[in-house]
Amino acid sequence: VVTSKGLANGGAALSMVWSREPLGSPERYRPGSHSSTYIGIPSALAVVDTVLDRWERWTTVDKDILWLEEAMRSRLTDIATRHPNLVRGVDAMGGTARIVLTGPYASRMRHLFRSGHPDTGVLVATTGMAPDIINVHPPLVIEERELDILAEVFETALNGIA
């Protein structure tokens, strides 16, 4: 298993590789045969320790993630239906959402998510390989009011493209 950003909740540079026998045995994978840029950084390890402590205390994970999935899907879908010329579809799965645009303007939309609203901005993800896709990765502890702000910013960004 290889993981990175999730361990530190995106707040610090750290990556890890877990393996079990026989793949991780000293005979096959000698100690010192691998190095990494993001390993053993004390501040990053402290962030991971905090994230794991918080995760361990979180007793309503399934219910909360399902709520987030449905809350994002409903808000984003409501807005998308008002802009069929710009949004082909919206979906959410767990703590992420995906917005599929009708054209290659994800980069412009990303900029508008950050700067198009007069009071606030939202960070979203896009790649050059999918110029019609916007990914939304809110913190898992996001609240109703913050999701309402996400929806406002999405609407403002779409109005900026139209």
Side-chain angles (χ1 to χ4, degrees):
V1 175
V2 178
T3 185
S4 57
K5 289 181 191 177
L7 273 175
N9 206 31
L14 186 81
S15 61
M16 290 186 167
V17 177
W18 284 282
S19 69
R20 59 181 168 185
E21 305 297 343
L23 182 61
S25 72
E27 295 80 35
R28 290 181 181 237
Y29 197 72
R30 292 187 344 262
S33 63
H34 176 73
S35 70
S36 174
T37 306
Y38 302 120
I39 192 167
I41 302 166
S43 59
L45 293 172
V47 170
V48 169
D49 194 37
T50 301
V51 167
L52 293 176
D53 284 348
R54 188 171 185 176
W55 182 260
E56 194 172 273
R57 288 190 312 270
W58 192 3
T59 60
T60 56
V61 173
D62 292 340
K63 179 178 83 93
D64 294 346
I65 299 301
L66 183 60
W67 170 83
L68 175 57
E69 177 181 314
E70 291 301 320
M72 280 195 301
R73 181 182 292 116
S74 67
R75 281 170 175 82
L76 297 176
T77 299
D78 285 349
I79 294 164
T81 58
R82 292 193 294 273
H83 298 272
N85 57 323
L86 297 172
V87 182
R88 180 174 296 130
V90 168
D91 197 14
M93 186 168 87
T96 65
R98 179 179 167 172
I99 301 165
V100 181
L101 304 170
T102 58
Y105 28 84
S107 178
R108 176 81 178 124
M109 284 287 293
R110 184 183 69 226
H111 173 73
L112 289 169
F113 261 89
R114 244 185 2 254
S115 63
H117 192 278
D119 298 322
T120 191
V122 174
L123 294 177
V124 294
T126 62
T127 70
M129 296 175 2
D132 61 337
I133 305 290
I134 296 171
N135 293 299
V136 182
H137 307 280
L140 298 179
V141 294
I142 195 168
E143 296 179 356
E144 285 276 350
R145 177 65 190 128
E146 294 161 322
L147 284 171
D148 292 340
I149 291 169
L150 167 65
E152 280 179 41
V153 170
F154 180 35
E155 183 98 47
T156 301
L158 286 168
N159 289 332
I161 292 288

